[in-house]
Amino acid sequence: MAHVKRGVTKRARHRKILKLAKGYRGRAGTCYRVAINRVEHGLQYAYRDRRTKKREFRALWIQRINAAAREHGLVYSQFMNGLNKAGVTLDRKVLADIAVHDAAMFKSLAEQANKALQA
């Protein structure tokens, strides 16, 4: 069997891990054996938190919409129900942005929702 020198592939594998570990504290950023564990954990957290991020943003949008709706005498569920009955199809991300940046527009949406609830 032929003799295989593995220096190049080994160095490439180490460099790949150490590149991912760049910026880590202490030996986790410089020592290969420690870096492997830190990088694997980091990738697990990244995978998990890509899903968690979606939940957290939706919750944030709902809180912002609820706060703005309460200023106009409605709670979140009534506001959303009124918008659905009025036929307004804006998602929560857009509604939260309107609540933060355009108070006059949100007031008109709240009035529309209130009118649809009364009818």
Side-chain angles (χ1 to χ4, degrees):
M1 199 138 162
H3 177 68
V4 177
K5 296 176 74 178
R6 296 180 18 167
V8 175
T9 52
K10 182 178 178 182
R11 192 172 305 114
R13 192 169 64 244
H14 284 212
R15 200 176 321 132
K16 184 173 75 173
I17 294 294
L18 290 172
K19 184 180 176 190
L20 289 170
K22 195 174 217 176
Y24 286 7
R25 271 182 96 119
R27 287 197 312 158
T30 56
C31 178
Y32 176 72
R33 288 180 73 169
V34 180
I36 289 175
N37 295 325
R38 294 289 90 222
V39 166
E40 284 179 357
H41 256 101
L43 293 173
Q44 286 173 345
Y45 290 141
Y47 177 83
R48 178 196 69 192
D49 291 338
R50 279 195 295 275
R51 281 135 193 86
T52 309
K53 182 174 151 186
K54 295 164 181 59
R55 284 177 236 149
E56 288 177 353
F57 267 103
R58 184 181 169 97
L60 176 67
W61 297 332
I62 289 172
Q63 288 171 3
R64 287 178 175 174
I65 294 166
N66 191 18
R70 284 173 188 268
E71 290 178 0
H72 300 290
L74 294 166
V75 293
Y76 171 78
S77 59
Q78 292 172 336
F79 176 72
M80 293 304 282
N81 187 23
L83 286 182
N84 287 336
K85 286 182 177 177
V88 177
T89 56
L90 292 173
D91 63 359
R92 286 161 186 81
K93 181 180 178 180
V94 172
L95 285 171
D97 191 57
I98 290 171
V100 171
H101 295 106
D102 192 359
M105 177 69 174
F106 195 86
K107 183 178 181 183
S108 69
L109 287 171
E111 288 168 358
Q112 278 185 318
N114 216 348
K115 218 177 277 182
L117 287 172
Q118 302 301 324

